[in-house]
């Protein structure tokens, strides 16, 4: 079974631009979570989608948004990029709903904002 | 407010010996705990998990221990191998529903180096 895939793997943008990152979960997984990893803050939860609905959101500004499609693929968007948005963005998928769920991560998208 | 803490930034171990990685948490609502391994330029890889109804879970060379009263968990790797060298993260989740959906809270990670 193919793992979680994320595209693109690397991205360079300038301040003020916007960016869209894509995530394809493991086949059959309906829950997709997004995380931001930075050296200073570690791994921080952004949001989670299940059946095309955002069920949970972390403590990030409204510039960070996402969506999920009917095939469970998900995208996240960051508008008006700031230097501090430079990070590794990770997507994770999960099979079961509810608690006691392992999340399986993709390789991440490395975003650099200049 | 760091709810999951890994107080040791790094750990160095000889091949064949035991590696013990520690993690503390403060949120009493956490009831499911996971360990992930991460290599540079890759996403975290799931290793092992434990629910709060257990105090031990084993999978091959990996064993996780949970001490709920102390809000402490540890990952034991026996025997350690050079290929185990990576960053190890512990993570926790708090039930299902509301602000818990799909959310794992991670520690800052511990760099494990296993010397041949």
């Amino acid at each position: 079974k193919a793992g979680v895939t994320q595209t693109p793997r690397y991205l360079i943008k300038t301040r003020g631009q916007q960016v869209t990152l894509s995530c394809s979960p493991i086949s059959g997984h309906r829950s997709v979570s997004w995380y931001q990893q930075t050296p200073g803050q570690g791994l921080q939860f952004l949001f989670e989608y299940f059946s095309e609905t955002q069920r949970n959101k972390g403590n990030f500004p409204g510039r960070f948004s996402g969506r999920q499609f009917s095939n469970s693929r998900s995208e996240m968007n960051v508008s008006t990029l700031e230097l501090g948005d430079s990070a590794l963005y990770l997507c994770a998928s999960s099979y079961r709903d509810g608690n006691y769920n392992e999340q399986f991560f993709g390789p991440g998208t490395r975003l650099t904002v200049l | 407010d760091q709810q999951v803490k890994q107080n040791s930034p790094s750990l160095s171990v000889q091949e064949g010996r035991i590696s013990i990685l520690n993690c503390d948490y403060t949120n009493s609502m956490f009831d499911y705990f996971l360990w992930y391994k991460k290599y540079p330029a890759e996403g975290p890889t799931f290793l092992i998990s434990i629910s709060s109804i257990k105090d031990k879970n084993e999978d091959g060379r990996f064993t996780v221990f949970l001490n709920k009263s102390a809000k402490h968990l540890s990952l034991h790797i026996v025997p350690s191998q050079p290929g185990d060298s990576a960053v190890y993260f512990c993570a926790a989740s708090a039930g299902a529903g509301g602000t818990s959906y799909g959310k794992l809270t991670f520690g800052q990670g511990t760099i494990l180096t296993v010397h041949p």
Side-chain angles (χ1 to χ4, degrees), chain A residues 2-8 21-34 67-69 71-76 90-94 104-109:
Chain A
V4 178
T5 59
Q6 292 187 245
T7 56
L21 313 181
S22 181
C23 170
S24 292
I26 293 171
S27 177
H29 287 198
R30 296 166 63 192
S31 171
V32 174
S33 296
W34 287 89
R67 59 177 174 168
Q68 186 181 34
F69 302 94
N71 61 358
S72 295
R73 191 176 71 83
S74 178
E75 289 181 347
M76 69 163 281
L90 292 159
C91 159
S93 73
S94 182
F104 297 92
F105 284 81
T109 294

PDB file of all heavy atoms in Angstrom, chain A residues 2-8 21-34 67-69 71-76 90-94 104-109:
ATOM      1  N   ALA A   2       0.609   2.166  -0.879  1.00  0.00           N
ATOM      2  CA  ALA A   2       1.417   3.373  -0.953  1.00  0.00           C
ATOM      3  C   ALA A   2       1.217   4.195   0.308  1.00  0.00           C
ATOM      4  O   ALA A   2       0.146   4.212   0.915  1.00  0.00           O
ATOM      5  CB  ALA A   2       1.012   4.188  -2.173  1.00  0.00           C
ATOM      6  N   GLY A   3       2.292   4.910   0.693  1.00  0.00           N
ATOM      7  CA  GLY A   3       2.213   5.750   1.881  1.00  0.00           C
ATOM      8  C   GLY A   3       1.600   7.094   1.572  1.00  0.00           C
ATOM      9  O   GLY A   3       1.087   7.340   0.483  1.00  0.00           O
ATOM     10  N   VAL A   4       1.693   7.988   2.529  1.00  0.00           N
ATOM     11  CA  VAL A   4       1.211   9.350   2.356  1.00  0.00           C
ATOM     12  C   VAL A   4       2.176  10.092   1.434  1.00  0.00           C
ATOM     13  O   VAL A   4       3.396  10.016   1.617  1.00  0.00           O
ATOM     14  CB  VAL A   4       1.120  10.081   3.717  1.00  0.00           C
ATOM     15  CG1 VAL A   4       0.668  11.518   3.522  1.00  0.00           C
ATOM     16  CG2 VAL A   4       0.187   9.332   4.652  1.00  0.00           C
ATOM     17  N   THR A   5       1.637  10.757   0.443  1.00  0.00           N
ATOM     18  CA  THR A   5       2.481  11.518  -0.461  1.00  0.00           C
ATOM     19  C   THR A   5       2.161  12.999  -0.344  1.00  0.00           C
ATOM     20  O   THR A   5       1.006  13.384  -0.108  1.00  0.00           O
ATOM     21  CB  THR A   5       2.309  11.072  -1.923  1.00  0.00           C
ATOM     22  OG1 THR A   5       0.946  11.234  -2.305  1.00  0.00           O
ATOM     23  CG2 THR A   5       2.708   9.618  -2.098  1.00  0.00           C
ATOM     24  N   GLN A   6       3.216  13.809  -0.481  1.00  0.00           N
ATOM     25  CA  GLN A   6       3.050  15.251  -0.406  1.00  0.00           C
ATOM     26  C   GLN A   6       3.781  15.895  -1.578  1.00  0.00           C
ATOM     27  O   GLN A   6       4.891  15.492  -1.916  1.00  0.00           O
ATOM     28  CB  GLN A   6       3.622  15.805   0.908  1.00  0.00           C
ATOM     29  CG  GLN A   6       2.835  15.378   2.130  1.00  0.00           C
ATOM     30  CD  GLN A   6       3.332  16.082   3.383  1.00  0.00           C
ATOM     31  OE1 GLN A   6       3.860  15.445   4.297  1.00  0.00           O
ATOM     32  NE2 GLN A   6       3.144  17.396   3.432  1.00  0.00           N
ATOM     33  N   THR A   7       3.144  16.886  -2.154  1.00  0.00           N
ATOM     34  CA  THR A   7       3.780  17.625  -3.239  1.00  0.00           C
ATOM     35  C   THR A   7       3.544  19.121  -3.054  1.00  0.00           C
ATOM     36  O   THR A   7       2.498  19.529  -2.505  1.00  0.00           O
ATOM     37  CB  THR A   7       3.209  17.214  -4.617  1.00  0.00           C
ATOM     38  OG1 THR A   7       1.778  17.394  -4.613  1.00  0.00           O
ATOM     39  CG2 THR A   7       3.541  15.778  -4.953  1.00  0.00           C
ATOM     40  N   PRO A   8       4.499  19.967  -3.450  1.00  0.00           N
ATOM     41  CA  PRO A   8       5.843  19.560  -3.847  1.00  0.00           C
ATOM     42  C   PRO A   8       6.686  19.221  -2.617  1.00  0.00           C
ATOM     43  O   PRO A   8       6.246  19.427  -1.488  1.00  0.00           O
ATOM     44  CB  PRO A   8       6.356  20.814  -4.552  1.00  0.00           C
ATOM     45  CG  PRO A   8       5.685  21.937  -3.833  1.00  0.00           C
ATOM     46  CD  PRO A   8       4.324  21.430  -3.459  1.00  0.00           C
ATOM     47  N   LEU A  21      -0.152  23.626  -0.745  1.00  0.00           N
ATOM     48  CA  LEU A  21       0.533  22.344  -0.589  1.00  0.00           C
ATOM     49  C   LEU A  21      -0.495  21.229  -0.688  1.00  0.00           C
ATOM     50  O   LEU A  21      -1.635  21.387  -0.240  1.00  0.00           O
ATOM     51  CB  LEU A  21       1.236  22.266   0.775  1.00  0.00           C
ATOM     52  CG  LEU A  21       2.076  23.471   1.199  1.00  0.00           C
ATOM     53  CD1 LEU A  21       2.708  23.225   2.558  1.00  0.00           C
ATOM     54  CD2 LEU A  21       3.127  23.774   0.159  1.00  0.00           C
ATOM     55  N   SER A  22      -0.072  20.108  -1.242  1.00  0.00           N
ATOM     56  CA  SER A  22      -1.003  19.009  -1.471  1.00  0.00           C
ATOM     57  C   SER A  22      -0.597  17.753  -0.716  1.00  0.00           C
ATOM     58  O   SER A  22       0.590  17.487  -0.515  1.00  0.00           O
ATOM     59  CB  SER A  22      -1.074  18.714  -2.971  1.00  0.00           C
ATOM     60  OG  SER A  22      -1.975  17.667  -3.233  1.00  0.00           O
ATOM     61  N   CYS A  23      -1.598  16.984  -0.324  1.00  0.00           N
ATOM     62  CA  CYS A  23      -1.372  15.754   0.427  1.00  0.00           C
ATOM     63  C   CYS A  23      -2.337  14.672  -0.046  1.00  0.00           C
ATOM     64  O   CYS A  23      -3.559  14.904  -0.096  1.00  0.00           O
ATOM     65  CB  CYS A  23      -1.582  16.019   1.921  1.00  0.00           C
ATOM     66  SG  CYS A  23      -1.612  14.537   2.959  1.00  0.00           S
ATOM     67  N   SER A  24      -1.799  13.516  -0.373  1.00  0.00           N
ATOM     68  CA  SER A  24      -2.642  12.359  -0.704  1.00  0.00           C
ATOM     69  C   SER A  24      -2.478  11.316   0.396  1.00  0.00           C
ATOM     70  O   SER A  24      -1.376  10.805   0.601  1.00  0.00           O
ATOM     71  CB  SER A  24      -2.243  11.765  -2.055  1.00  0.00           C
ATOM     72  OG  SER A  24      -2.555  12.649  -3.100  1.00  0.00           O
ATOM     73  N   PRO A  25      -3.554  11.009   1.122  1.00  0.00           N
ATOM     74  CA  PRO A  25      -3.432  10.067   2.244  1.00  0.00           C
ATOM     75  C   PRO A  25      -3.309   8.629   1.756  1.00  0.00           C
ATOM     76  O   PRO A  25      -3.493   8.340   0.575  1.00  0.00           O
ATOM     77  CB  PRO A  25      -4.750  10.279   2.996  1.00  0.00           C
ATOM     78  CG  PRO A  25      -5.724  10.697   1.949  1.00  0.00           C
ATOM     79  CD  PRO A  25      -4.922  11.511   0.968  1.00  0.00           C
ATOM     80  N   ILE A  26      -3.009   7.755   2.686  1.00  0.00           N
ATOM     81  CA  ILE A  26      -3.007   6.323   2.390  1.00  0.00           C
ATOM     82  C   ILE A  26      -4.421   5.920   1.957  1.00  0.00           C
ATOM     83  O   ILE A  26      -5.415   6.405   2.536  1.00  0.00           O
ATOM     84  CB  ILE A  26      -2.565   5.527   3.633  1.00  0.00           C
ATOM     85  CG1 ILE A  26      -1.094   5.828   3.939  1.00  0.00           C
ATOM     86  CG2 ILE A  26      -2.780   4.027   3.451  1.00  0.00           C
ATOM     87  CD1 ILE A  26      -0.602   5.281   5.265  1.00  0.00           C
ATOM     88  N   SER A  27      -4.499   5.062   0.952  1.00  0.00           N
ATOM     89  CA  SER A  27      -5.793   4.635   0.438  1.00  0.00           C
ATOM     90  C   SER A  27      -6.666   4.087   1.563  1.00  0.00           C
ATOM     91  O   SER A  27      -6.245   3.229   2.347  1.00  0.00           O
ATOM     92  CB  SER A  27      -5.576   3.557  -0.630  1.00  0.00           C
ATOM     93  OG  SER A  27      -6.805   3.078  -1.111  1.00  0.00           O
ATOM     94  N   GLY A  28      -7.888   4.600   1.649  1.00  0.00           N
ATOM     95  CA  GLY A  28      -8.825   4.152   2.681  1.00  0.00           C
ATOM     96  C   GLY A  28      -8.812   5.010   3.932  1.00  0.00           C
ATOM     97  O   GLY A  28      -9.702   4.893   4.784  1.00  0.00           O
ATOM     98  N   HIS A  29      -7.803   5.855   4.076  1.00  0.00           N
ATOM     99  CA  HIS A  29      -7.747   6.748   5.233  1.00  0.00           C
ATOM    100  C   HIS A  29      -8.584   7.991   4.960  1.00  0.00           C
ATOM    101  O   HIS A  29      -8.438   8.624   3.916  1.00  0.00           O
ATOM    102  CB  HIS A  29      -6.294   7.165   5.521  1.00  0.00           C
ATOM    103  CG  HIS A  29      -5.471   6.084   6.112  1.00  0.00           C
ATOM    104  ND1 HIS A  29      -4.276   6.335   6.767  1.00  0.00           N
ATOM    105  CD2 HIS A  29      -5.658   4.744   6.180  1.00  0.00           C
ATOM    106  CE1 HIS A  29      -3.772   5.205   7.198  1.00  0.00           C
ATOM    107  NE2 HIS A  29      -4.589   4.217   6.851  1.00  0.00           N
ATOM    108  N   ARG A  30      -9.443   8.344   5.917  1.00  0.00           N
ATOM    109  CA  ARG A  30     -10.335   9.476   5.697  1.00  0.00           C
ATOM    110  C   ARG A  30      -9.972  10.707   6.515  1.00  0.00           C
ATOM    111  O   ARG A  30     -10.471  11.789   6.266  1.00  0.00           O
ATOM    112  CB  ARG A  30     -11.773   9.046   6.004  1.00  0.00           C
ATOM    113  CG  ARG A  30     -12.293   7.965   5.058  1.00  0.00           C
ATOM    114  CD  ARG A  30     -13.552   7.321   5.583  1.00  0.00           C
ATOM    115  NE  ARG A  30     -14.656   8.267   5.683  1.00  0.00           N
ATOM    116  CZ  ARG A  30     -15.792   8.020   6.318  1.00  0.00           C
ATOM    117  NH1 ARG A  30     -15.954   6.873   6.939  1.00  0.00           N
ATOM    118  NH2 ARG A  30     -16.761   8.913   6.352  1.00  0.00           N
ATOM    119  N   SER A  31      -9.120  10.509   7.517  1.00  0.00           N
ATOM    120  CA  SER A  31      -8.707  11.636   8.353  1.00  0.00           C
ATOM    121  C   SER A  31      -7.337  12.123   7.903  1.00  0.00           C
ATOM    122  O   SER A  31      -6.407  11.330   7.749  1.00  0.00           O
ATOM    123  CB  SER A  31      -8.655  11.197   9.822  1.00  0.00           C
ATOM    124  OG  SER A  31      -8.058  12.196  10.614  1.00  0.00           O
ATOM    125  N   VAL A  32      -7.223  13.424   7.699  1.00  0.00           N
ATOM    126  CA  VAL A  32      -5.949  14.036   7.315  1.00  0.00           C
ATOM    127  C   VAL A  32      -5.668  15.188   8.274  1.00  0.00           C
ATOM    128  O   VAL A  32      -6.508  16.074   8.462  1.00  0.00           O
ATOM    129  CB  VAL A  32      -5.986  14.564   5.868  1.00  0.00           C
ATOM    130  CG1 VAL A  32      -4.699  15.323   5.555  1.00  0.00           C
ATOM    131  CG2 VAL A  32      -6.165  13.412   4.882  1.00  0.00           C
ATOM    132  N   SER A  33      -4.483  15.138   8.886  1.00  0.00           N
ATOM    133  CA  SER A  33      -4.041  16.205   9.782  1.00  0.00           C
ATOM    134  C   SER A  33      -2.818  16.875   9.187  1.00  0.00           C
ATOM    135  O   SER A  33      -2.017  16.225   8.507  1.00  0.00           O
ATOM    136  CB  SER A  33      -3.682  15.646  11.167  1.00  0.00           C
ATOM    137  OG  SER A  33      -4.806  15.086  11.802  1.00  0.00           O
ATOM    138  N   TRP A  34      -2.661  18.160   9.475  1.00  0.00           N
ATOM    139  CA  TRP A  34      -1.499  18.924   9.015  1.00  0.00           C
ATOM    140  C   TRP A  34      -0.739  19.465  10.220  1.00  0.00           C
ATOM    141  O   TRP A  34      -1.347  19.881  11.215  1.00  0.00           O
ATOM    142  CB  TRP A  34      -1.956  20.109   8.147  1.00  0.00           C
ATOM    143  CG  TRP A  34      -2.442  19.736   6.788  1.00  0.00           C
ATOM    144  CD1 TRP A  34      -3.731  19.403   6.439  1.00  0.00           C
ATOM    145  CD2 TRP A  34      -1.683  19.673   5.576  1.00  0.00           C
ATOM    146  NE1 TRP A  34      -3.807  19.138   5.091  1.00  0.00           N
ATOM    147  CE2 TRP A  34      -2.568  19.300   4.530  1.00  0.00           C
ATOM    148  CE3 TRP A  34      -0.348  19.905   5.266  1.00  0.00           C
ATOM    149  CZ2 TRP A  34      -2.156  19.155   3.206  1.00  0.00           C
ATOM    150  CZ3 TRP A  34       0.071  19.755   3.948  1.00  0.00           C
ATOM    151  CH2 TRP A  34      -0.830  19.384   2.943  1.00  0.00           C
ATOM    152  N   ARG A  67      -8.427  22.401   2.937  1.00  0.00           N
ATOM    153  CA  ARG A  67      -9.665  21.773   2.494  1.00  0.00           C
ATOM    154  C   ARG A  67      -9.381  20.306   2.191  1.00  0.00           C
ATOM    155  O   ARG A  67      -8.226  19.900   2.037  1.00  0.00           O
ATOM    156  CB  ARG A  67     -10.247  22.469   1.272  1.00  0.00           C
ATOM    157  CG  ARG A  67      -9.338  22.515   0.061  1.00  0.00           C
ATOM    158  CD  ARG A  67     -10.061  23.172  -1.101  1.00  0.00           C
ATOM    159  NE  ARG A  67      -9.200  23.368  -2.259  1.00  0.00           N
ATOM    160  CZ  ARG A  67      -9.656  23.709  -3.463  1.00  0.00           C
ATOM    161  NH1 ARG A  67     -10.952  23.885  -3.652  1.00  0.00           N
ATOM    162  NH2 ARG A  67      -8.830  23.861  -4.481  1.00  0.00           N
ATOM    163  N   GLN A  68     -10.461  19.550   2.110  1.00  0.00           N
ATOM    164  CA  GLN A  68     -10.329  18.137   1.780  1.00  0.00           C
ATOM    165  C   GLN A  68     -11.349  17.808   0.701  1.00  0.00           C
ATOM    166  O   GLN A  68     -12.493  18.292   0.732  1.00  0.00           O
ATOM    167  CB  GLN A  68     -10.556  17.255   3.014  1.00  0.00           C
ATOM    168  CG  GLN A  68     -10.282  15.783   2.759  1.00  0.00           C
ATOM    169  CD  GLN A  68     -10.534  14.919   3.976  1.00  0.00           C
ATOM    170  OE1 GLN A  68     -11.426  15.194   4.770  1.00  0.00           O
ATOM    171  NE2 GLN A  68      -9.743  13.863   4.139  1.00  0.00           N
ATOM    172  N   PHE A  69     -10.943  16.989  -0.224  1.00  0.00           N
ATOM    173  CA  PHE A  69     -11.787  16.623  -1.339  1.00  0.00           C
ATOM    174  C   PHE A  69     -12.480  15.278  -1.072  1.00  0.00           C
ATOM    175  O   PHE A  69     -12.147  14.574  -0.123  1.00  0.00           O
ATOM    176  CB  PHE A  69     -10.952  16.562  -2.614  1.00  0.00           C
ATOM    177  CG  PHE A  69     -10.254  17.858  -2.923  1.00  0.00           C
ATOM    178  CD1 PHE A  69      -8.948  18.080  -2.507  1.00  0.00           C
ATOM    179  CD2 PHE A  69     -10.908  18.879  -3.596  1.00  0.00           C
ATOM    180  CE1 PHE A  69      -8.305  19.276  -2.763  1.00  0.00           C
ATOM    181  CE2 PHE A  69     -10.274  20.081  -3.859  1.00  0.00           C
ATOM    182  CZ  PHE A  69      -8.969  20.281  -3.445  1.00  0.00           C
ATOM    183  N   ASN A  71     -12.180  12.520  -2.392  1.00  0.00           N
ATOM    184  CA  ASN A  71     -11.296  11.337  -2.426  1.00  0.00           C
ATOM    185  C   ASN A  71     -10.307  11.345  -1.268  1.00  0.00           C
ATOM    186  O   ASN A  71      -9.358  10.577  -1.263  1.00  0.00           O
ATOM    187  CB  ASN A  71     -10.547  11.268  -3.756  1.00  0.00           C
ATOM    188  CG  ASN A  71      -9.653  12.480  -3.982  1.00  0.00           C
ATOM    189  OD1 ASN A  71      -9.621  13.400  -3.161  1.00  0.00           O
ATOM    190  ND2 ASN A  71      -8.933  12.484  -5.084  1.00  0.00           N
ATOM    191  N   SER A  72     -10.545  12.219  -0.301  1.00  0.00           N
ATOM    192  CA  SER A  72      -9.749  12.377   0.928  1.00  0.00           C
ATOM    193  C   SER A  72      -8.443  13.134   0.719  1.00  0.00           C
ATOM    194  O   SER A  72      -7.770  13.447   1.704  1.00  0.00           O
ATOM    195  CB  SER A  72      -9.456  11.042   1.627  1.00  0.00           C
ATOM    196  OG  SER A  72     -10.656  10.474   2.085  1.00  0.00           O
ATOM    197  N   ARG A  73      -8.077  13.427  -0.506  1.00  0.00           N
ATOM    198  CA  ARG A  73      -6.905  14.266  -0.729  1.00  0.00           C
ATOM    199  C   ARG A  73      -7.132  15.626  -0.076  1.00  0.00           C
ATOM    200  O   ARG A  73      -8.263  16.108   0.007  1.00  0.00           O
ATOM    201  CB  ARG A  73      -6.634  14.431  -2.215  1.00  0.00           C
ATOM    202  CG  ARG A  73      -5.299  15.075  -2.554  1.00  0.00           C
ATOM    203  CD  ARG A  73      -5.072  15.116  -4.064  1.00  0.00           C
ATOM    204  NE  ARG A  73      -5.947  16.075  -4.736  1.00  0.00           N
ATOM    205  CZ  ARG A  73      -5.714  17.376  -4.836  1.00  0.00           C
ATOM    206  NH1 ARG A  73      -4.613  17.886  -4.281  1.00  0.00           N
ATOM    207  NH2 ARG A  73      -6.552  18.168  -5.474  1.00  0.00           N
ATOM    208  N   SER A  74      -6.049  16.218   0.405  1.00  0.00           N
ATOM    209  CA  SER A  74      -6.191  17.489   1.125  1.00  0.00           C
ATOM    210  C   SER A  74      -5.180  18.499   0.607  1.00  0.00           C
ATOM    211  O   SER A  74      -4.106  18.138   0.111  1.00  0.00           O
ATOM    212  CB  SER A  74      -5.990  17.253   2.627  1.00  0.00           C
ATOM    213  OG  SER A  74      -6.066  18.456   3.351  1.00  0.00           O
ATOM    214  N   GLU A  75      -5.528  19.737   0.722  1.00  0.00           N
ATOM    215  CA  GLU A  75      -4.621  20.838   0.407  1.00  0.00           C
ATOM    216  C   GLU A  75      -4.605  21.798   1.578  1.00  0.00           C
ATOM    217  O   GLU A  75      -5.604  21.942   2.292  1.00  0.00           O
ATOM    218  CB  GLU A  75      -5.091  21.604  -0.846  1.00  0.00           C
ATOM    219  CG  GLU A  75      -4.942  20.851  -2.139  1.00  0.00           C
ATOM    220  CD  GLU A  75      -5.407  21.668  -3.341  1.00  0.00           C
ATOM    221  OE1 GLU A  75      -6.073  22.714  -3.148  1.00  0.00           O
ATOM    222  OE2 GLU A  75      -5.113  21.248  -4.476  1.00  0.00           O
ATOM    223  N   MET A  76      -3.462  22.425   1.781  1.00  0.00           N
ATOM    224  CA  MET A  76      -3.423  23.548   2.708  1.00  0.00           C
ATOM    225  C   MET A  76      -2.873  24.769   1.969  1.00  0.00           C
ATOM    226  O   MET A  76      -2.059  24.655   1.054  1.00  0.00           O
ATOM    227  CB  MET A  76      -2.610  23.256   3.964  1.00  0.00           C
ATOM    228  CG  MET A  76      -1.137  23.116   3.787  1.00  0.00           C
ATOM    229  SD  MET A  76      -0.262  23.268   5.383  1.00  0.00           S
ATOM    230  CE  MET A  76      -0.276  25.051   5.591  1.00  0.00           C
ATOM    231  N   LEU A  90       4.015  19.029   7.364  1.00  0.00           N
ATOM    232  CA  LEU A  90       3.779  17.590   7.337  1.00  0.00           C
ATOM    233  C   LEU A  90       2.290  17.287   7.322  1.00  0.00           C
ATOM    234  O   LEU A  90       1.506  17.917   8.032  1.00  0.00           O
ATOM    235  CB  LEU A  90       4.407  16.935   8.574  1.00  0.00           C
ATOM    236  CG  LEU A  90       5.935  16.948   8.624  1.00  0.00           C
ATOM    237  CD1 LEU A  90       6.422  16.771  10.044  1.00  0.00           C
ATOM    238  CD2 LEU A  90       6.499  15.847   7.735  1.00  0.00           C
ATOM    239  N   CYS A  91       1.957  16.314   6.541  1.00  0.00           N
ATOM    240  CA  CYS A  91       0.591  15.825   6.467  1.00  0.00           C
ATOM    241  C   CYS A  91       0.579  14.404   7.025  1.00  0.00           C
ATOM    242  O   CYS A  91       1.545  13.647   6.830  1.00  0.00           O
ATOM    243  CB  CYS A  91       0.160  15.856   5.003  1.00  0.00           C
ATOM    244  SG  CYS A  91      -1.209  14.810   4.564  1.00  0.00           S
ATOM    245  N   ALA A  92      -0.475  14.044   7.735  1.00  0.00           N
ATOM    246  CA  ALA A  92      -0.586  12.692   8.286  1.00  0.00           C
ATOM    247  C   ALA A  92      -1.993  12.176   8.065  1.00  0.00           C
ATOM    248  O   ALA A  92      -2.962  12.936   8.152  1.00  0.00           O
ATOM    249  CB  ALA A  92      -0.268  12.696   9.779  1.00  0.00           C
ATOM    250  N   SER A  93      -2.109  10.901   7.784  1.00  0.00           N
ATOM    251  CA  SER A  93      -3.444  10.326   7.617  1.00  0.00           C
ATOM    252  C   SER A  93      -3.682   9.222   8.628  1.00  0.00           C
ATOM    253  O   SER A  93      -2.750   8.619   9.159  1.00  0.00           O
ATOM    254  CB  SER A  93      -3.657   9.808   6.188  1.00  0.00           C
ATOM    255  OG  SER A  93      -2.937   8.618   5.941  1.00  0.00           O
ATOM    256  N   SER A  94      -4.952   8.994   8.886  1.00  0.00           N
ATOM    257  CA  SER A  94      -5.349   8.014   9.883  1.00  0.00           C
ATOM    258  C   SER A  94      -6.556   7.247   9.374  1.00  0.00           C
ATOM    259  O   SER A  94      -7.430   7.823   8.708  1.00  0.00           O
ATOM    260  CB  SER A  94      -5.667   8.721  11.200  1.00  0.00           C
ATOM    261  OG  SER A  94      -6.009   7.807  12.202  1.00  0.00           O
ATOM    262  N   PHE A 104      -0.041   8.378  10.214  1.00  0.00           N
ATOM    263  CA  PHE A 104       1.061   8.029   9.328  1.00  0.00           C
ATOM    264  C   PHE A 104       1.414   9.257   8.503  1.00  0.00           C
ATOM    265  O   PHE A 104       0.552   9.833   7.835  1.00  0.00           O
ATOM    266  CB  PHE A 104       0.669   6.840   8.452  1.00  0.00           C
ATOM    267  CG  PHE A 104       0.390   5.608   9.258  1.00  0.00           C
ATOM    268  CD1 PHE A 104      -0.901   5.319   9.687  1.00  0.00           C
ATOM    269  CD2 PHE A 104       1.414   4.752   9.613  1.00  0.00           C
ATOM    270  CE1 PHE A 104      -1.164   4.200  10.466  1.00  0.00           C
ATOM    271  CE2 PHE A 104       1.163   3.617  10.381  1.00  0.00           C
ATOM    272  CZ  PHE A 104      -0.125   3.346  10.807  1.00  0.00           C
ATOM    273  N   PHE A 105       2.671   9.623   8.573  1.00  0.00           N
ATOM    274  CA  PHE A 105       3.111  10.885   8.019  1.00  0.00           C
ATOM    275  C   PHE A 105       3.694  10.748   6.623  1.00  0.00           C
ATOM    276  O   PHE A 105       4.320   9.736   6.286  1.00  0.00           O
ATOM    277  CB  PHE A 105       4.173  11.525   8.924  1.00  0.00           C
ATOM    278  CG  PHE A 105       3.608  12.148  10.167  1.00  0.00           C
ATOM    279  CD1 PHE A 105       3.303  11.367  11.265  1.00  0.00           C
ATOM    280  CD2 PHE A 105       3.364  13.511  10.221  1.00  0.00           C
ATOM    281  CE1 PHE A 105       2.786  11.939  12.422  1.00  0.00           C
ATOM    282  CE2 PHE A 105       2.845  14.093  11.371  1.00  0.00           C
ATOM    283  CZ  PHE A 105       2.549  13.303  12.464  1.00  0.00           C
ATOM    284  N   GLY A 106       3.515  11.808   5.842  1.00  0.00           N
ATOM    285  CA  GLY A 106       4.205  11.923   4.578  1.00  0.00           C
ATOM    286  C   GLY A 106       5.600  12.488   4.787  1.00  0.00           C
ATOM    287  O   GLY A 106       5.993  12.790   5.927  1.00  0.00           O
ATOM    288  N   PRO A 107       6.356  12.662   3.692  1.00  0.00           N
ATOM    289  CA  PRO A 107       7.736  13.148   3.810  1.00  0.00           C
ATOM    290  C   PRO A 107       7.838  14.639   4.084  1.00  0.00           C
ATOM    291  O   PRO A 107       8.900  15.120   4.476  1.00  0.00           O
ATOM    292  CB  PRO A 107       8.340  12.810   2.443  1.00  0.00           C
ATOM    293  CG  PRO A 107       7.176  12.821   1.513  1.00  0.00           C
ATOM    294  CD  PRO A 107       6.009  12.322   2.314  1.00  0.00           C
ATOM    295  N   GLY A 108       6.732  15.366   3.887  1.00  0.00           N
ATOM    296  CA  GLY A 108       6.741  16.795   4.162  1.00  0.00           C
ATOM    297  C   GLY A 108       7.048  17.646   2.945  1.00  0.00           C
ATOM    298  O   GLY A 108       7.600  17.169   1.951  1.00  0.00           O
ATOM    299  N   THR A 109       6.665  18.901   3.052  1.00  0.00           N
ATOM    300  CA  THR A 109       7.026  19.931   2.078  1.00  0.00           C
ATOM    301  C   THR A 109       7.871  20.966   2.812  1.00  0.00           C
ATOM    302  O   THR A 109       7.423  21.536   3.810  1.00  0.00           O
ATOM    303  CB  THR A 109       5.788  20.611   1.474  1.00  0.00           C
ATOM    304  OG1 THR A 109       5.050  19.664   0.702  1.00  0.00           O
ATOM    305  CG2 THR A 109       6.205  21.775   0.576  1.00  0.00           C
TER     306      THR A 109
END
